[in-house]
Short mmCIF file of all heavy atoms in Angstrom, two decimals:
data_model
loop_
_atom_site.label_atom_id
_atom_site.label_comp_id
_atom_site.label_asym_id
_atom_site.label_seq_id
_atom_site.Cartn_x
_atom_site.Cartn_y
_atom_site.Cartn_z
N ASP A 1479 49.20 66.73 -16.19
CA ASP A 1479 48.18 67.35 -15.36
C ASP A 1479 46.90 66.53 -15.34
O ASP A 1479 46.26 66.37 -14.29
CB ASP A 1479 47.90 68.78 -15.86
CG ASP A 1479 49.08 69.71 -15.61
OD1 ASP A 1479 50.10 69.25 -15.05
OD2 ASP A 1479 48.99 70.89 -16.00
N VAL A 1480 46.52 65.98 -16.48
CA VAL A 1480 45.32 65.16 -16.55
C VAL A 1480 45.50 63.89 -15.70
O VAL A 1480 44.58 63.47 -14.99
CB VAL A 1480 44.98 64.81 -18.02
CG1 VAL A 1480 43.93 63.72 -18.08
CG2 VAL A 1480 44.51 66.04 -18.76
N CYS A 1481 46.67 63.30 -15.77
CA CYS A 1481 46.92 62.09 -14.97
C CYS A 1481 46.89 62.40 -13.48
O CYS A 1481 46.37 61.60 -12.69
CB CYS A 1481 48.27 61.48 -15.36
SG CYS A 1481 48.25 60.63 -16.96
N VAL A 1482 47.43 63.55 -13.08
CA VAL A 1482 47.37 63.93 -11.67
C VAL A 1482 45.92 64.15 -11.25
O VAL A 1482 45.47 63.67 -10.20
CB VAL A 1482 48.21 65.19 -11.40
CG1 VAL A 1482 48.00 65.68 -9.96
CG2 VAL A 1482 49.69 64.92 -11.65
N LEU A 1483 45.17 64.87 -12.06
CA LEU A 1483 43.78 65.18 -11.73
C LEU A 1483 42.93 63.92 -11.64
O LEU A 1483 41.97 63.86 -10.86
CB LEU A 1483 43.20 66.15 -12.77
CG LEU A 1483 43.80 67.56 -12.79
CD1 LEU A 1483 43.29 68.35 -13.98
CD2 LEU A 1483 43.51 68.30 -11.49
N GLN A 1484 43.26 62.91 -12.43
CA GLN A 1484 42.48 61.67 -12.44
C GLN A 1484 43.15 60.53 -11.66
O GLN A 1484 42.65 59.41 -11.68
CB GLN A 1484 42.22 61.22 -13.88
CG GLN A 1484 41.35 62.19 -14.67
CD GLN A 1484 41.01 61.68 -16.07
OE1 GLN A 1484 41.72 60.84 -16.63
NE2 GLN A 1484 39.95 62.19 -16.64
N ASN A 1485 44.27 60.85 -11.02
CA ASN A 1485 45.01 59.87 -10.23
C ASN A 1485 45.33 58.62 -11.04
O ASN A 1485 45.04 57.48 -10.66
CB ASN A 1485 44.22 59.47 -8.97
CG ASN A 1485 45.04 58.59 -8.04
OD1 ASN A 1485 46.27 58.65 -8.03
ND2 ASN A 1485 44.37 57.74 -7.27
N LYS A 1486 45.96 58.85 -12.20
CA LYS A 1486 46.35 57.74 -13.06
C LYS A 1486 47.85 57.79 -13.33
O LYS A 1486 48.44 58.87 -13.38
CB LYS A 1486 45.58 57.81 -14.38
CG LYS A 1486 44.09 57.59 -14.21
CD LYS A 1486 43.33 57.69 -15.51
CE LYS A 1486 41.84 57.43 -15.26
NZ LYS A 1486 41.03 57.54 -16.49
N PRO A 1487 48.48 56.63 -13.49
CA PRO A 1487 49.91 56.63 -13.79
C PRO A 1487 50.18 57.12 -15.21
O PRO A 1487 49.44 56.80 -16.14
CB PRO A 1487 50.32 55.16 -13.62
CG PRO A 1487 49.05 54.39 -13.78
CD PRO A 1487 47.94 55.28 -13.30
N ASN A 1488 51.24 57.89 -15.35
CA ASN A 1488 51.68 58.44 -16.63
C ASN A 1488 53.04 57.83 -16.95
O ASN A 1488 54.03 58.15 -16.31
CB ASN A 1488 51.76 59.97 -16.51
CG ASN A 1488 52.53 60.62 -17.65
OD1 ASN A 1488 52.68 60.06 -18.73
ND2 ASN A 1488 53.01 61.83 -17.40
N VAL A 1489 53.07 56.93 -17.92
CA VAL A 1489 54.33 56.30 -18.32
C VAL A 1489 54.96 57.20 -19.37
O VAL A 1489 54.54 57.24 -20.52
CB VAL A 1489 54.12 54.88 -18.86
CG1 VAL A 1489 55.46 54.24 -19.20
CG2 VAL A 1489 53.38 54.02 -17.83
N TYR A 1490 55.98 57.91 -18.94
CA TYR A 1490 56.59 58.98 -19.74
C TYR A 1490 57.84 58.51 -20.47
O TYR A 1490 58.64 57.73 -19.94
CB TYR A 1490 56.96 60.13 -18.78
CG TYR A 1490 58.02 61.08 -19.29
CD1 TYR A 1490 57.70 62.10 -20.18
CD2 TYR A 1490 59.34 60.96 -18.86
CE1 TYR A 1490 58.69 62.98 -20.63
CE2 TYR A 1490 60.33 61.84 -19.31
CZ TYR A 1490 59.99 62.84 -20.20
OH TYR A 1490 60.96 63.70 -20.64
N GLY A 1491 58.00 58.98 -21.70
CA GLY A 1491 59.22 58.72 -22.45
C GLY A 1491 59.53 59.91 -23.33
O GLY A 1491 58.62 60.63 -23.78
N SER A 1492 60.80 60.16 -23.56
CA SER A 1492 61.20 61.21 -24.49
C SER A 1492 62.49 60.78 -25.17
O SER A 1492 63.29 60.02 -24.62
CB SER A 1492 61.39 62.55 -23.77
OG SER A 1492 62.53 62.52 -22.93
N ILE A 1493 62.68 61.28 -26.39
CA ILE A 1493 63.85 60.91 -27.19
C ILE A 1493 64.38 62.13 -27.90
O ILE A 1493 63.65 63.06 -28.25
CB ILE A 1493 63.50 59.82 -28.23
CG1 ILE A 1493 62.26 60.23 -29.05
CG2 ILE A 1493 63.28 58.47 -27.56
CD1 ILE A 1493 61.91 59.29 -30.16
N PHE A 1494 65.71 62.11 -28.14
CA PHE A 1494 66.35 63.16 -28.94
C PHE A 1494 67.71 62.66 -29.39
O PHE A 1494 68.55 62.28 -28.56
CB PHE A 1494 66.50 64.45 -28.13
CG PHE A 1494 67.13 65.57 -28.91
CD1 PHE A 1494 66.47 66.14 -29.99
CD2 PHE A 1494 68.39 66.04 -28.59
CE1 PHE A 1494 67.04 67.17 -30.72
CE2 PHE A 1494 68.98 67.07 -29.31
CZ PHE A 1494 68.31 67.64 -30.39
N ARG A 1495 67.89 62.62 -30.70
CA ARG A 1495 69.14 62.18 -31.31
C ARG A 1495 69.53 60.78 -30.83
O ARG A 1495 69.01 59.79 -31.31
CB ARG A 1495 70.23 63.22 -31.08
CG ARG A 1495 69.96 64.50 -31.87
CD ARG A 1495 71.05 65.53 -31.76
NE ARG A 1495 70.75 66.65 -32.65
CZ ARG A 1495 71.35 67.82 -32.62
NH1 ARG A 1495 72.32 68.06 -31.74
NH2 ARG A 1495 71.02 68.78 -33.47
N PHE A 1496 70.43 60.64 -29.87
CA PHE A 1496 70.87 59.33 -29.40
C PHE A 1496 70.47 59.08 -27.95
O PHE A 1496 70.87 58.06 -27.38
CB PHE A 1496 72.40 59.21 -29.51
CG PHE A 1496 72.91 59.21 -30.92
CD1 PHE A 1496 73.30 60.39 -31.52
CD2 PHE A 1496 72.99 58.03 -31.66
CE1 PHE A 1496 73.78 60.41 -32.83
CE2 PHE A 1496 73.46 58.04 -32.96
CZ PHE A 1496 73.85 59.23 -33.55
N GLU A 1497 69.70 59.99 -27.35
CA GLU A 1497 69.41 59.88 -25.93
C GLU A 1497 67.91 59.76 -25.66
O GLU A 1497 67.09 60.32 -26.39
CB GLU A 1497 69.97 61.10 -25.19
CG GLU A 1497 71.48 61.24 -25.32
CD GLU A 1497 72.00 62.49 -24.64
OE1 GLU A 1497 71.18 63.31 -24.20
OE2 GLU A 1497 73.23 62.64 -24.54
N GLY A 1498 67.58 59.03 -24.60
CA GLY A 1498 66.19 58.87 -24.23
C GLY A 1498 66.01 58.87 -22.72
O GLY A 1498 66.95 58.65 -21.96
N GLN A 1499 64.77 59.13 -22.30
CA GLN A 1499 64.42 59.13 -20.89
C GLN A 1499 63.12 58.37 -20.70
O GLN A 1499 62.24 58.39 -21.56
CB GLN A 1499 64.22 60.57 -20.37
CG GLN A 1499 65.42 61.47 -20.50
CD GLN A 1499 65.12 62.88 -20.00
OE1 GLN A 1499 63.98 63.22 -19.68
NE2 GLN A 1499 66.16 63.70 -19.93
N VAL A 1500 63.00 57.71 -19.56
CA VAL A 1500 61.76 57.02 -19.20
C VAL A 1500 61.51 57.21 -17.70
O VAL A 1500 62.45 57.17 -16.90
CB VAL A 1500 61.81 55.51 -19.51
CG1 VAL A 1500 60.44 54.87 -19.23
CG2 VAL A 1500 62.24 55.23 -20.93
N SER A 1501 60.26 57.42 -17.34
CA SER A 1501 59.88 57.43 -15.93
C SER A 1501 58.40 57.10 -15.83
O SER A 1501 57.68 57.07 -16.83
CB SER A 1501 60.16 58.80 -15.29
OG SER A 1501 59.95 58.75 -13.88
N VAL A 1502 57.97 56.82 -14.62
CA VAL A 1502 56.54 56.66 -14.33
C VAL A 1502 56.18 57.75 -13.35
O VAL A 1502 56.67 57.78 -12.22
CB VAL A 1502 56.22 55.28 -13.74
CG1 VAL A 1502 54.75 55.21 -13.33
CG2 VAL A 1502 56.54 54.18 -14.75
#
Side-chain angles (χ1 to χ4, degrees):
D1479 291 359
V1480 167
C1481 286
V1482 173
L1483 293 172
Q1484 295 185 338
N1485 188 27
K1486 294 179 179 179
N1488 166 22
V1489 183
Y1490 158 80
S1492 70
I1493 51 175
F1494 181 67
R1495 291 184 175 167
F1496 294 93
E1497 299 177 352
Q1499 301 178 353
V1500 185
S1501 188
V1502 174

